[in-house]
Each structure stands twice: as structure tokens, then as C-alpha cells.
């Protein structure tokens, strides 16, 4: 009969049993829903010692739930990082199939050994293990960091200077992606402090950012930057005024900053409310349903812009010559419309409307004691005529291709069949526009029907060049801060190189080149005061 060589064990006492049970709860139970979802149990945070053990254990990371919360909005990051939370055996199995020379550069195939930097369950440890000073400090730092992240979204009562229509320091708030904005009219006016001469700047000149239109702190920085640059262009002691019209969440277009305040001299503090910030007209929010009804009642060629203005202020606007049918209608309050060229005034009451001449300036004064609300209704007659001509050319091309059109085409229309210009007389601008439109539609169709690998490669190239541009722009910014800004010509060349996207077809606008990255974005009209509704 075989005899066991193990020494006899003494029976466990009640205190020892309780301690082992407590140690066994220092980790997620297999059948617990909370353990599967979050990676820890309530008992793991019931005392300071268990919390230190939880945050320093090598397996079942307690940060899994936090990681899912922070990065759940980034699906590609989640897909790439998912294997981190799988069994630790799969990397070693993968390394075992790699060449031996490559294995020297990869992680070891041997199982990990216990480390003094981690806290283990008592049932697995050889002896009692107490948290050290490093464990205590790391746990305290983690708790302070989590408390900071919980507090920052509610810290707007301290940083009031960053509060605009929405609470400031918007980048780390929990209410991201809940506000939509549209900018209808932006005018920058400068006045020479000595001569009193007025001038206008293209919106966005000397900057690559668009966010200054909505943030008082950035607008103050932008105005300060302009005040330092304009003296190089013979403007002494410049005074700078901004007239910015914004609509948030489909409300009326209204001013966000007082256009009568010189922003260069205006006071701004991160801990005090900005005095030159215009309030959001919350009383007009119920109008949004009515505005949507008005929009839905219009045809495809008619557009509408809704305006709200404060008493004592006026809007100076220019109606483009392309907008041959433009009218203004008052919804609330009382306004006086001045036709500058005709030197004629007309007062509008609620519900009244008047026709506006194209190619001329006009001013709309709010004369009522309460904010006025009105709307521009316009039709781009030039665009309508262009669409009709393009539709005729498309119909003519289809008739020639199917044989219903027997007559020969004029020489200037031959490119319609060939799809490009091949010698002969130069086609008319209309035909050139038609060809560019056809090429653009063909390119869209080609991309839509491209094989999966081609679309995947294009996707990777887009992401690669986005990261490339971010890296280069960061290097340029750090260089400018450390060594000073170079000449505008050199800076423009560097920005052009950073925005390089060789895989894009020639003539296609780059997403990163529109508005924010172009130092001198193209304006709809050469005159800086124009706001073409």
C-alpha cells in the first residue's frame, strides 16, 4: 500500500478561513456580471489596501472599463487595442512562428515572472505582500487624476472668460458634438488710430484656424496678432472690430460679439465674464419649429436665411448680381431698410416684405426696442440658368449617343462626345463646365465601384497623410515658438508641403486645405465687405 509523503496539515482556524475568503475576492469572479463588464468587484474597492492591490495587479486590469469609456468613440483604436485584453499566451505563440533572427527583437517566449511592481493575490503569493510606498503613490496619483477628470467638465464657474454661448474649455467637456454652428457673415474692420482711415481684412488672414469666430479668448489673441502685423502695412495704432454672425443649432443668425468694441483694447480675463460677448437670444428658440416649416415650404431653387439683431445695431449687406430675385421679410420687431445707392429708406412692420436690388448695398437698422427678426428669401438666377443649360447639354449628348439626334454637332460641342478637348476651336465656358462636371461624376462613380483593396489603400493613405500633416504642422509651430516665425513666403511653402496629398487627383479640393489650412482662403467676392446670401 502506497503511503503519501505529504505532511499532515493542521485544521484551519476560523480567522484563517475568513482571510482566505477575503483574498479570493480580490479579483473578478467568473460568474459575476460586474466582473465581466468592468474587470473588478465592489469588494475590490471596499478598503484602501484592496484598492491598491486592484490598481497594481498584473492581470484583469481595472482600467478596462475606463479604457472603454474614454476610447469607445474611436472604433479603430478599439479594434487595434482589443488584443491587449485577451489571454497573454497569444503573443508568445505568434512569436514562436517567427524567424529566429526576428525573435531576438520580439518579446520573450518564456512566461512572465512575478514582479515586485505588481500586487498579487495572497493565494498565489508565497508570503504576505504589503503595498509599498510606490504602490501607495501610484494609487493616490490615479485617484487624483480621476477626480480631476470628473471635476474639469464642471469647472466653468471658475474659468468664466472661456464661456461663450456654450461653457468654455469645450475641448475636454462631456457635452462635445451636441452643438452645430454655421457662420453666415464675417467682417473684420480696422481703423488707423492716427488718421482714422478705415479698411477691411479678409476673414482668416494671417491664421489657419477657424475657431476664433466662436471663442472670445481666441478672438482676443487674433486681434492682438493683427495689431502687431498691421503696422508693417502702414497702419499705425490699429483698432480692430469684428462683426461675426453665427447660428447655433438651427437658430437665427445673430451677432456673437459686439461690433462696436475695439477688441485690441477690450478687456479679457480667464476668470471674469467677457463684457463684449453678445447674449444668445434664447427667447427666440421656439421659432426653430416655424423656421423649419418655412424652409420645407420652399422649392429647390429658393434659399432662405434667418436673421436676428439687437436694438440700435444694423446689418450692412451686399446682394450679389447672381441673386436676381432677393427679398427681405420682417418676422418680428421693426426695421428700417436703407438702399445705399438710391438713398432711399423704407420701414417694415411685422409681416411686411420688400424687394432688394441685385448688385447694390443696403443696410437694415433695428429700430424696435426688442430684437428684430427677419429673413432673406433669394433665388440664384445665374445658378438656375446654368443648371438648365447643363441639363440641355446632357440631353443633347444622350440623343447623339442613342441616334435620335441625326444632325451634326457644331465644332465647339464636339468635346461633349469625346469627353475632353482634342484640338480644334476652344470650347465655350459652358462646355468646359459641363466637361469638368462629367469628369467629377465619373471619378465619384469610379471610386464607388473600386475594389475593396483599392478603397482600403486609399483609406490608409488618407489617414497617413492626416498624421503626416499633424506632425509637420506641430513641428512648424514649435519651431516658430522657439526661433521666431520665418517670412510669409517660406511659411506658405512649408504649409503647402504639409498639406501635400499626392494620391488626390489634380484639381480636387483637399479636406485639410479648405478654410482652416489655407492662409488666404478664396473669397466669394473680391470686396471684403460682401456677404452674399
Amino acid at each position: 500500500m502506497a503511503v503519501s509523503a505529504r505532511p499532515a496539515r493542521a485544521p484551519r482556524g476560523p480567522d484563517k478561513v475568513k482571510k482566505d475568503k477575503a483574498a479570493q475576492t480580490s479579483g473578478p469572479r467568473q460568474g459575476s456580471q460586474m466582473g465581466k463588464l468592468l474587470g473588478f468587484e465592489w469588494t475590490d474597492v471596499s478598503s484602501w489596501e484592496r484598492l491598491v492591490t486592484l490598481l497594481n495587479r498584473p492581470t484583469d486590469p481595472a482600467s478596462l472599463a475606463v479604457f472603454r469609456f474614454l476610447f469607445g468613440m474611436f472604433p479603430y483604436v478599439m479594434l487595434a487595442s482589443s488584443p491587449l485584453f485577451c489571454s497573454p499566451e497569444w503573443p508568445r505563440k505568434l512569436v514562436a512562428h517567427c524567424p529566429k533572427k526576428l525573435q531576438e527583437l520580439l518579446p520573450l517566449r518564456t512566461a512572465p515572472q512575478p514582479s515586485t511592481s505588481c500586487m498579487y493575490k495572497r493565494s498565489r503569493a508565497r508570503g504576505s505582500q504589503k503595498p509599498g510606498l510606490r504602490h501607495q503613490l501610484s494609487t493616490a496619483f490615479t485617484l487624483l487624476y480621476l477626480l480631476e477628470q470628473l471635476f474639469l467638465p464642471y469647472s466653468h464657474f471658475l474659468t468664466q472668460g472661456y464661456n461663450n454661448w456654450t461653457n468654455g474649455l469645450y475641448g475636454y467637456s462631456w457635452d462635445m458634438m451636441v452643438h452645430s454652428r454655421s457662420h453666415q457673415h464675417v467682417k473684420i474692420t480696422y481703423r488707423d488710430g492716427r488718421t482714422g482711415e478705415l479698411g477691411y481684412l479678409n476673414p482668416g488672414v494671417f491664421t489657419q484656424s477657424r475657431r476664433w469666430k466662436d471663442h472670445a479668448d481666441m478672438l482676443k489673441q487674433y486681434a492682438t496678432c493683427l495689431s502687431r502685423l498691421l503696422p508693417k502695412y502702414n497702419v499705425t495704432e490699429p483698432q480692430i472690430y469684428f462683426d461675426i454672425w453665427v447660428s447655433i443649432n438651427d437658430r437665427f443668425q445673430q451677432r456673437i460679439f459686439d461690433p462696436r468694441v475695439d477688441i485690441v483694447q477690450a478687456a479679457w480675463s480667464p476668470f471674469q465674464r467677457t463684457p463684449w460677448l453678445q447674449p444668445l437670444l434664447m427667447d427666440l428658440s421656439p421659432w426653430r419649429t416655424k423656421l423649419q416649416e418655412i424652409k420645407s415650404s420652399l422649392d429647390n431653387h429658393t434659399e432662405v436665411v434667418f436673421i436676428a439683431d439687437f436694438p440700435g445695431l444694423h446689418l450692412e449687406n451686399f446682394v450679389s448680381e447672381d441673386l436676381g430675385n432677393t427679398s427681405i421679410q420682417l418676422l418680428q420687431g421693426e426695421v428700417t431698410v436703407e438702399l445705399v445707392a438710391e438713398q432711399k429708406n423704407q420701414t417694415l412692420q411685422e409681416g411686411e416684405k420688400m424687394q432688394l436690388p441685385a448688385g447694390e448695398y443696403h443696410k437694415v437698422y433695428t429700430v424696435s426696442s426688442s430684437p428684430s427678426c427677419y429673413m432673406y428669401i433669394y433665388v440664384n438666377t445665374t445658378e438656375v440658368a446654368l443648371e438648365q443649360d447643363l441639363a440641355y447639354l446632357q440631353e443633347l449628348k444622350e440623343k447623339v449617343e442613342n441616334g435620335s439626334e441625326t444632325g451634326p454637332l457644331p465644332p465647339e460641342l464636339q468635346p461633349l462626345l469625346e469627353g475632353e478637348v482634342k484640338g480644334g476651336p476652344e470650347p465655350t465656358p459652358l462646355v468646359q463646365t459641363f466637361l469638368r462636371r462629367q469628369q467629377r461624376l465619373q471619378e465619384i462613380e469610379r471610386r464607388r465601384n473600386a475594389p475593396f483593396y483599392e478603397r482600403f489603400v486609399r483609406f490608409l493613405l488618407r489617414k497617413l497623410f492626416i498624421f503626416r500633416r499633424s506632425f509637420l504642422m506641430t513641428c512648424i509651430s514649435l519651431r516658430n515658438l522657439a526661433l521666431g516665425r520665418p517670412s510669409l513666403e517660406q511659411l506658405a511653402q512649408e504649409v503647402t508641403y504639409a498639406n501635400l496629398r499626392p494620391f488626390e487627383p489634380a484639381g480636387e479640393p483637399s479636406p485639410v486645405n479648405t478654410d482652416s489650412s489655407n492662409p488666404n482662403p478664396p473669397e466669394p467676392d473680391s470686396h471684403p465687405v460682401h456677404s452674399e446670401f
Side-chain angles (χ1 to χ4, degrees):
M1 185 176 75
V3 180
S4 174
R6 295 180 180 178
R9 289 186 178 181
R12 293 185 177 183
D15 295 339
K16 180 65 175 178
V17 174
K18 290 181 180 180
K19 290 181 179 180
D20 287 348
K21 288 184 177 180
Q24 293 175 1
T25 60
S26 182
R29 295 190 299 272
Q30 295 297 328
S32 172
Q33 294 295 332
M34 180 178 179
K36 294 179 180 179
L37 180 63
L38 302 180
F40 62 91
E41 299 286 350
W42 288 115
T43 55
D44 293 328
V45 294
S46 59
S47 66
W48 174 256
E49 182 178 355
R50 293 179 181 177
L51 181 62
V52 173
T53 303
L54 173 69
L55 297 180
N56 291 275
R57 67 189 184 189
T59 58
D60 299 329
S63 59
L64 177 58
V66 180
F67 184 88
R68 286 176 177 172
F69 174 77
L70 292 178
F71 295 95
M73 67 184 69
F74 304 114
Y76 303 110
V77 176
M78 288 296 298
L79 289 175
S81 58
S82 295
L84 297 176
F85 303 102
C86 298
S87 172
E89 299 293 334
W90 71 267
R92 293 194 288 271
K93 294 179 180 179
L94 182 61
V95 172
H97 291 82
C98 295
K100 293 185 178 181
K101 293 184 178 180
L102 184 60
Q103 291 182 12
E104 299 178 357
L105 304 176
L106 297 176
L108 299 177
R109 296 170 52 186
T110 57
Q113 303 299 320
S115 172
T116 57
S117 300
C118 299
M119 299 293 298
Y120 297 90
K121 297 179 181 179
R122 295 180 181 179
S123 59
R124 298 181 181 179
R126 296 182 179 180
S128 59
Q129 184 183 17
K130 295 183 179 180
L133 178 61
R134 182 170 56 181
H135 299 129
Q136 304 278 358
L137 293 177
S138 62
T139 302
F141 173 79
T142 302
L143 292 179
L144 290 176
Y145 178 77
L146 292 177
L147 291 175
E148 176 196 16
Q149 296 300 314
L150 292 173
F151 170 74
L152 284 179
Y154 299 101
S155 63
H156 304 302
F157 67 94
L158 295 176
T159 55
Q160 297 188 35
Y162 295 97
N163 297 340
N164 299 286
W165 286 351
T166 57
N167 287 333
L169 297 177
Y170 187 69
Y172 56 62
S173 298
W174 290 346
D175 55 357
M176 292 178 63
M177 309 299 289
V178 297
H179 301 296
S180 61
R181 303 172 186 263
S182 63
H183 301 83
Q184 185 67 46
H185 177 63
V186 179
K187 183 173 71 172
I188 305 178
T189 307
Y190 67 85
R191 182 194 301 271
D192 192 304
R194 294 183 181 178
T195 64
E197 180 182 0
L198 289 177
Y200 304 93
L201 298 175
N202 286 333
V205 66
F206 301 121
T207 183
Q208 301 175 19
S209 174
R210 296 176 296 179
R211 302 190 66 184
W212 55 269
K213 301 177 183 178
D214 302 310
H215 300 270
D217 58 313
M218 296 183 182
L219 190 72
K220 177 66 176 179
Q221 294 177 0
Y222 186 34
T224 304
C225 175
L226 292 177
S227 66
R228 296 172 180 174
L229 292 174
L230 288 180
K232 300 179 181 179
Y233 299 89
N234 299 324
V235 180
T236 57
E237 301 177 3
Q239 304 170 4
I240 303 177
Y241 306 87
F242 293 87
D243 193 10
I244 304 175
W245 294 74
V246 187
S247 170
I248 182 171
N249 291 353
D250 295 330
R251 290 180 171 88
F252 284 93
Q253 291 278 344
Q254 68 159 93
R255 287 182 167 98
I256 185 172
F257 304 113
D258 194 334
R260 300 164 295 187
V261 176
D262 176 17
I263 305 300
V264 177
Q265 301 297 330
W268 181 85
S269 170
F271 306 108
Q272 296 179 0
R273 181 184 175 276
T274 304
W276 34 274
L277 174 71
Q278 298 284 65
L280 179 63
L281 297 175
M282 297 295 296
D283 295 341
L284 302 178
S285 296
W287 273 87
R288 283 186 287 186
T289 303
K290 180 64 175 178
L291 302 185
Q292 292 295 332
E293 294 177 356
I294 295 176
K295 285 184 178 180
S296 60
S297 63
L298 302 176
D299 56 47
N300 295 333
H301 299 294
T302 305
E303 300 290 342
V304 62
V305 177
F306 301 99
I307 306 293
D309 203 3
F310 295 93
L313 298 179
H314 73 277
L315 168 65
E316 181 181 11
N317 193 21
F318 177 84
V319 179
S320 172
E321 296 178 353
D322 295 329
L323 309 181
N325 184 11
T326 304
S327 62
I328 180 174
Q329 181 175 348
L330 186 64
L331 301 176
Q332 177 178 300
E334 183 178 357
V335 299
T336 298
V337 181
E338 176 188 357
L339 303 180
V340 178
E342 302 177 10
Q343 297 183 352
K344 174 183 175 182
N345 295 342
Q346 181 175 342
T347 301
L348 299 181
Q349 303 293 334
E350 184 174 337
E352 296 181 348
K353 63 186 302 184
M354 66 174 291
Q355 199 74 15
L356 296 174
E360 297 182 7
Y361 283 95
H362 66 274
K363 298 180 181 179
V364 183
Y365 297 86
T366 299
V367 296
S368 57
S369 58
S370 59
S372 63
C373 303
Y374 51 93
M375 62 179 178
Y376 285 95
I377 304 176
Y378 62 94
V379 177
N380 193 329
T381 53
T382 303
E383 182 179 357
V384 172
L386 177 62
E387 289 294 333
Q388 293 176 353
D389 294 339
L390 294 177
Y392 168 74
L393 292 180
Q394 179 66 29
E395 181 181 359
L396 180 61
K397 178 183 177 183
E398 294 176 355
K399 287 183 178 180
V400 173
E401 291 176 345
N402 58 28
S404 59
E405 180 67 29
T406 58
L409 287 178
E412 63 272 11
L413 297 182
Q414 287 296 330
L416 295 179
L417 300 179
E418 300 171 356
E420 58 182 359
V421 181
K422 295 182 179 180
E426 183 179 359
T428 62
L430 178 61
V431 174
Q432 295 178 6
T433 303
F434 178 82
L435 294 178
R436 286 194 299 268
R437 184 179 186 181
Q438 291 297 111
Q439 293 174 358
R440 185 167 60 251
L441 294 176
Q442 292 174 2
E443 177 65 19
I444 294 175
E445 187 66 21
R446 187 193 66 81
R447 292 183 184 178
R448 187 176 300 169
N449 299 327
F452 171 76
Y453 74 89
E454 184 177 334
R455 286 181 286 146
F456 182 70
V457 170
R458 180 178 176 82
F459 168 79
L460 292 181
L461 287 175
R462 282 181 174 271
K463 297 302 178 182
L464 174 64
F465 276 84
I466 288 176
F467 286 117
R468 172 186 175 274
R469 178 183 182 274
S470 301
F471 174 76
L472 292 177
M473 296 297 289
T474 302
C475 293
I476 294 173
S477 301
L478 294 177
R479 189 275 315 275
N480 294 346
L481 291 175
L483 306 177
R485 196 186 67 182
S487 63
L488 294 180
E489 292 76 11
Q490 177 182 346
L491 190 60
Q493 293 177 359
E494 294 173 348
V495 172
T496 302
Y497 177 75
N499 293 332
L500 182 64
R501 298 167 66 89
F503 59 92
E504 295 286 359
E508 180 177 340
S510 172
V512 297
N513 275 339
T514 55
D515 191 19
S516 63
S517 61
N518 190 351
N520 297 299
E523 293 295 318
D525 193 282
S526 59
H527 200 293
V529 189
H530 291 186
S531 173
E532 300 179 356
F533 291 119

